[in-house]
Amino acid sequence: MFDNLQEKFDRAFQILKGHGSITEVNVGDTLKEVRKALLDADVDYKTAKEFTQRVKEEALGREVLTSLKPGQLLVKITHEELTKLMGEAAADFRVQGKPAVILLAGLQGAGKTTHAGKLAKLIEDQFKKKVLLVACDVHRPAAVDQLKVVGESVGVDVYAEPGVLDAPGIAERGLAHAKSSGHQAVIIDTAGRLAIDEDMMREIDLVKAVAKPTETLFVVDSMTGQDAVRTAATFNERLDFDGVILTKLDGDTRGGAALSIHSVVGKPIKFVGVGEKMDALEVFHPNRMAERILGMGDVVSLVERAQQVIDEKEAARLESKIRKNKFDLEDFLQQIQQLKKMGNLKDLMSMIPGMSKALKGIDIDDNTFKQVECIIQSMTPEERANPGIINPARKQRIARGSGKDIQDINRLLKQFEDMRKMMHTMTNGAGGKRSRAAGLSALRR
Amino acid sequence: MSFLKRLFSKQEKETLDHGLEKSKSHVFSKLAKVFTGRRVVDEELMDELEEAFITADVGVETTMRLLSRLRKRARFEAYMEMDELYGMMREEMAALFHEDNRSTEAYAIPKHAEGPHVILVVGVNGVGKTTSIGKLAQRFKEQGHSVLLGAADTFRAAAIDQLKVWAERVGVPLVAQGMGADPASVAFDTLQSAVARKSDVVIIDTAGRLHNKRGLMEELAKVRRVMDKVVPGSPHEVWLVLDGSTGQNAVEQAKQFLATTDVTGLIVTKLDGTAKGGVVLAISLQFSIPVRYIGVGEKAEHLQDFILDEFLDSLLPERLIEGLDSTDSES
């Protein structure tokens, strides 16, 4: 995410290298490149212009007060301004009301139905509330079926009236159903519509009037170009929405919309969709996003994601095993499986400061893990607990079982052994979290 | 304006009302203001042009290139009729497009000795692949071809149902397996069935995939290989569907899909909103692929042949005054 923007920013800041101070001229050249990078990332034209203007003023004004090098200073200012642009603090998301009603709206193909499912899962998991999905997309063929499938995959109830074309009516009855059946939150999925389609906008006005949502969220594809802010503004005029869900941020999108919408429309981005899996929905933190854009990493999010998937007790058990040097292949397998739950590997690694530059151009394949899993799963429980007993005959059997070469088995065993040694030395000083990172880098080879 | 006339030739009143409302936003686009009367060609004008192009999603690089061409041709620091300047601009823009787009011939389905004409439709999630296929089916059927659809999007929930609805609506047969089935297997079945039925055209839907997901892109390569086994030389066309409101990322999409599937044509959808689809210029500059169709609405007849002049009109309306006059008289 944001790879492209990051790279260009880097190049822009290079211009300042070797300069002793920030001057009108050198900062001008740098910011010209920054502006180009922003426009290439689909940041709104005016926003980009104003942004670079502000950075320039700040940079020239602050020059004498600091001992930072010009490059560093400019990165710092850019970071501050980026954060401001995206809305400073993370916006609140409340699931209040009896039931809480969340209305999703947006253009066609933005990802409303999928994100209705993701949001439902997030509310059930993190807010511990029972959710009902209401299918008000009566226009797109099979949209209702899609919501049902999505609902089923996250284990959330779906209220639908197949064949009925009256969206406000469905919303009303869906809400009544939620009340009588004890659902604490309702998410209303609506049809995609163009902001200039008067009939459709009237329909959603009606849905809103009937449903009285506690949160109205505008769903927008992060790959949208210059039209993103215009569309968001038009929707906002009609619906006065509370926040934005930015979808498909896992592509190599440059996410310009993330940078422009808040400053143009004045509404916060609340969530970002970062993958196809149903748990790939994150709370949007402007500050962390700015850090990611500038290649500063995002350790906080990484740790948070880890906390979501890692069971504390399990972690304590592992740690004690590592201390006693009893960490075995079975534990290793479990760790890999947990890591996989955290999401796309390259995304994860790029949250480590300095990593994203190192990763540039390297294609990290999530299948690396599959190969390791495959080999371990071809071992007997004894072999997993006690890799020492794996002799050539066993190796051959494992190779055959996993469809790999003997060399692959050897390599894995060696990596595992190195990792175990490293973990042991580390845990004598540091805690368990570090060992996880060590496991990661050992895997990368 | 020709864009409006076009909508008028379509019978439906409803279409027409919608169309008018929508096209007005084209007429009043930024460039309209730029090209009026007579003025000095200067840096300020160049800045205005730059803003207009960039807000139409043309992209920085393509914009710079167009403007530098214009600088070379125009009489800088001198008064110029804006019409003349506009003419130059349009020539430069048109020159970016594939030669197929510069001719006025619409796309016609060729005959093959070995079997049907096979079209594979690809794209990222949510661009309107399935909808476009429904519309294509209707168009080809109306042209007198027998059409068969293949539902190889076995990934997205209810994608098969969505295509089924279209097949029924248009009245064409559909080959499908269950959700989660191997797309290559669906493609295989579809082509076999098409050969048996002696269909003229086969259109195959695929799951939306983000172009940076390597596994899924490889799956697409496999679908292609399987198709070639049933009908040698197929797919004859691979059409990449792009959402007209997508920004510069569309260039990246085109690049990645081209790398794995030899895209032969583009369909640009959702141009009925306020988005202008200017990124098509950037794509045309970098890759030699013709744009085949544009989508300007939800109905089947809203998939139209791509006509370069009309597209450029919508980016840069030809002489604001004339455009407005025709709008008034026609409405």
Side-chain angles (χ1 to χ4, degrees):
Chain A
M1 153 193 340
F2 294 121
D3 290 356
N4 207 290
L5 191 54
Q6 210 180 86
E7 205 183 304
K8 289 198 178 146
F9 272 15
D10 263 356
R11 226 179 299 149
F13 294 133
Q14 286 295 327
I15 297 176
L16 282 175
K17 226 174 195 174
H19 285 271
S21 65
I22 286 183
T23 64
E24 185 90 36
V25 177
N26 62 24
V27 79
D29 286 346
T30 307
L31 289 176
K32 211 166 137 195
E33 291 302 313
V34 167
R35 182 170 157 263
K36 251 196 212 164
L38 291 171
L39 290 177
D40 257 336
D42 296 320
V43 171
D44 169 61
Y45 186 83
K46 280 212 178 67
T47 307
K49 208 170 187 173
E50 288 163 11
F51 177 80
T52 41
Q53 191 55 41
R54 265 201 315 278
V55 173
K56 187 175 178 178
E57 281 161 16
E58 278 290 313
L60 291 173
R62 245 192 271 181
E63 179 203 7
V64 278
L65 304 169
T66 141
S67 60
L68 287 175
K69 281 187 190 145
Q72 290 168 329
L73 178 64
L74 205 59
V75 171
K76 183 171 181 291
I77 294 170
T78 309
H79 174 248
E80 287 166 10
E81 290 296 329
L82 274 177
T83 311
K84 263 189 227 164
L85 199 63
M86 291 187 283
E88 312 253 10
D92 271 357
F93 176 71
R94 291 200 199 92
V95 189
Q96 276 174 346
K98 282 177 183 166
V101 181
I102 297 153
L103 177 68
L104 300 184
L107 299 180
Q108 291 93 338
K112 284 177 298 302
T113 308
T114 307
H115 282 77
K118 288 185 182 179
L119 198 57
K121 185 167 163 44
L122 183 131
I123 291 173
E124 293 224 329
D125 291 352
Q126 293 181 18
F127 292 84
K128 311 288 175 214
K129 294 202 168 160
K130 202 169 166 229
V131 180
L132 179 72
L133 289 166
V134 176
C136 284
D137 182 355
V138 294
H139 299 279
R140 181 162 60 94
V144 174
D145 298 315
Q146 189 185 347
L147 191 68
K148 279 186 187 159
V149 177
V150 164
E152 210 169 287
S153 73
V154 292
V156 169
D157 299 329
V158 177
Y159 180 84
E161 298 180 11
V164 177
L165 288 177
D166 161 31
I170 299 173
E172 194 171 18
R173 291 184 291 274
L175 225 60
H177 175 76
K179 278 178 195 154
S180 64
S181 57
H183 290 90
Q184 298 148 299
V186 175
I187 300 175
I188 302 175
D189 181 30
T190 61
R193 64 201 73 222
L194 291 167
I196 52 171
D197 189 334
E198 193 44 45
D199 293 346
M200 289 295 282
M201 289 310 277
R202 222 172 285 138
E203 182 201 78
I204 201 159
D205 280 346
L206 286 175
V207 172
K208 192 177 177 195
V210 167
K212 299 187 187 62
T214 43
E215 282 269 346
T216 303
L217 296 177
F218 175 62
V219 183
V220 61
D221 184 335
S222 59
M223 290 185 282
T224 315
Q226 295 281 330
D227 201 43
V229 290
R230 210 171 340 169
T231 313
T234 325
F235 265 89
N236 192 40
E237 276 164 29
R238 282 304 278 257
L239 289 175
D240 187 23
F241 55 70
D242 301 289
V244 177
I245 302 183
L246 199 61
T247 65
K248 304 181 206 173
L249 210 57
D250 53 330
D252 53 2
T253 160
R254 303 147 193 207
L259 299 176
S260 336
I261 284 185
H262 174 264
S263 69
V264 174
V265 185
K267 294 291 167 74
I269 294 170
K270 295 202 170 180
F271 296 101
V272 290
V274 290
E276 297 192 357
K277 297 213 179 93
M278 277 298 153
D279 51 7
L281 185 69
E282 284 180 5
V283 174
F284 182 79
H285 296 276
N287 178 35
R288 300 184 197 171
M289 204 52 87
E291 282 171 11
R292 270 195 231 178
I293 290 175
L294 293 171
M296 296 153 86
D298 181 3
V299 182
V300 191
S301 292
L302 184 63
V303 171
E304 276 181 1
R305 258 209 234 176
Q307 279 167 344
Q308 274 171 22
V309 297
I310 288 163
D311 175 11
E312 283 298 320
K313 264 189 229 150
E314 176 61 23
R317 191 187 65 84
L318 266 181
E319 205 181 318
S320 94
K321 267 190 125 172
I322 292 168
R323 268 182 212 288
K324 292 181 201 144
N325 208 10
K326 286 265 170 63
F327 183 78
D328 64 21
L329 281 164
E330 183 64 41
D331 302 320
F332 185 42
L333 182 65
Q334 277 174 19
Q335 281 218 316
I336 289 176
Q337 281 160 350
Q338 273 184 344
L339 197 66
K340 267 170 62 181
K341 270 194 244 158
M342 283 169 63
N344 174 294
L345 196 55
K346 193 167 184 175
D347 252 16
L348 289 179
M349 310 249 312
S350 65
M351 289 185 198
I352 302 168
M355 261 311 206
S356 63
K357 227 195 246 172
L359 288 173
K360 196 184 123 24
I362 301 173
D363 195 9
I364 294 187
D365 197 346
D366 280 316
N367 287 330
T368 322
F369 282 153
K370 235 184 228 158
Q371 182 169 331
V372 175
E373 275 180 288
C374 199
I375 294 174
I376 299 180
Q377 278 161 347
S378 301
M379 295 177 182
T380 64
E382 291 100 307
E383 286 164 351
R384 294 184 202 182
N386 214 339
I389 65 167
I390 302 179
N391 58 23
R394 285 177 189 262
K395 277 183 196 162
Q396 236 166 26
R397 196 203 75 247
I398 296 166
R400 240 180 299 130
S402 56
K404 303 279 171 227
D405 296 330
I406 300 263
Q407 289 95 302
D408 294 326
I409 317 289
N410 284 335
R411 192 163 45 214
L412 173 71
L413 289 173
K414 171 138 190 357
Q415 276 170 4
F416 175 73
E417 210 35 61
D418 291 349
M419 198 171 81
R420 186 145 79 161
K421 265 185 223 148
M422 194 159 48
M423 278 177 171
H424 189 60
T425 22
M426 279 176 85
T427 38
N428 289 335
K433 283 232 162 79
R434 294 272 299 278
S435 58
R436 207 162 286 124
L440 242 176
S441 59
L443 259 176
R444 263 196 73 222
R445 262 167 275 166
Chain B
M1 277 190 69
S2 44
F3 182 72
L4 297 175
K5 279 184 201 127
R6 187 100 170 264
L7 284 166
F8 271 85
S9 65
K10 309 272 170 204
Q11 327 73 9
E12 272 186 285
K13 176 84 172 77
E14 191 190 357
T15 312
L16 200 148
D17 291 344
H18 270 283
L20 270 182
E21 208 176 308
K22 284 163 191 168
S23 54
K24 267 192 187 147
S25 57
H26 287 292
V27 176
F28 290 113
S29 74
K30 292 241 163 59
L31 271 154
K33 275 185 277 167
V34 181
F35 288 112
T36 38
R38 194 180 150 79
R39 60 181 283 191
V40 180
V41 180
D42 55 8
E43 285 306 325
E44 196 194 327
L45 177 66
M46 287 293 156
D47 279 353
E48 281 178 52
L49 278 173
E50 182 196 280
E51 179 175 354
F53 278 130
I54 284 174
T55 47
D57 285 325
V58 172
V60 178
E61 207 190 310
T62 315
T63 300
M64 295 305 161
R65 189 185 150 114
L66 284 169
L67 292 184
S68 81
R69 294 282 308 159
L70 199 62
R71 274 170 201 274
K72 282 199 189 106
R73 291 181 58 181
R75 292 181 299 278
F76 220 67
E77 302 296 339
Y79 275 93
M80 232 180 123
E81 283 298 334
M82 284 300 110
D83 278 359
E84 194 188 341
L85 189 73
Y86 175 57
M88 286 178 186
M89 195 79 261
R90 265 187 65 141
E91 278 172 35
E92 293 300 335
M93 287 160 74
L96 299 177
F97 282 83
H98 188 273
E99 54 181 291
D100 277 13
N101 284 147
R102 278 178 274 140
S103 85
T104 46
E105 301 266 308
Y107 185 76
I109 302 285
K111 286 262 179 231
H112 303 283
E114 314 83 36
H117 185 63
V118 182
I119 302 165
L120 184 68
V121 177
V122 300
V124 306
N125 317 57
V127 289
K129 284 181 296 300
T130 309
T131 308
S132 298
I133 289 170
K135 294 175 183 174
L136 283 173
Q138 167 137 348
R139 164 182 282 258
F140 294 148
K141 195 188 170 199
E142 278 168 4
Q143 290 171 358
H145 299 292
S146 59
V147 183
L148 179 68
L149 302 181
D153 180 356
T154 56
F155 180 77
R156 179 167 62 90
I160 301 171
D161 299 311
Q162 191 184 345
L163 195 63
K164 258 184 202 153
V165 173
W166 271 105
E168 277 162 26
R169 201 182 278 176
V170 178
V172 296
L174 166 90
V175 175
Q177 297 178 5
M179 268 250 315
D182 179 5
S185 155
V186 179
F188 185 87
D189 280 3
T190 312
L191 290 200
Q192 277 204 324
S193 165
V195 172
R197 291 165 192 261
K198 298 197 167 38
S199 309
D200 298 330
V201 194
V202 176
I203 313 172
I204 298 200
D205 191 15
T206 61
R209 57 204 73 223
L210 286 179
H211 45 288
N212 58 347
K213 298 265 150 65
R214 221 177 58 187
L216 280 168
M217 294 302 278
E218 275 163 13
E219 177 190 282
L220 215 50
K222 182 183 166 195
V223 170
R224 279 193 69 122
R225 285 196 300 275
V226 167
M227 292 169 89
D228 185 54
K229 277 187 194 146
V230 192
V231 178
S234 74
H236 305 95
E237 298 281 351
V238 178
W239 286 345
L240 172 66
V241 183
L242 296 172
D243 181 333
S245 61
T246 307
Q248 299 314 301
N249 193 261
V251 178
E252 203 55 38
Q253 291 172 23
K255 192 190 281 172
Q256 301 292 340
F257 275 98
L258 263 157
T260 41
T261 51
D262 293 323
V263 174
T264 60
L266 300 175
I267 298 177
V268 185
T269 61
K270 306 186 197 174
L271 284 180
D272 46 339
T274 40
K276 297 213 166 54
V279 69
V280 172
L281 263 70
I283 292 175
S284 296
L285 172 68
Q286 287 196 32
F287 318 102
S288 183
I289 333 169
V291 186
R292 289 299 179 201
Y293 300 100
I294 57 168
V296 294
E298 308 241 329
K299 299 236 169 64
E301 62 270 25
H302 291 162
L303 187 78
Q304 304 179 344
D305 290 316
F306 176 80
I307 294 169
L308 183 58
D309 279 346
E310 294 185 3
F311 181 74
L312 295 184
D313 272 346
S314 71
L315 281 178
L316 310 175
E318 197 169 9
R319 290 188 207 101
L320 174 75
I321 308 301
E322 230 183 74
L324 279 179
D325 280 346
S326 65
T327 309
D328 288 340
S329 59
E330 275 169 343
S331 60

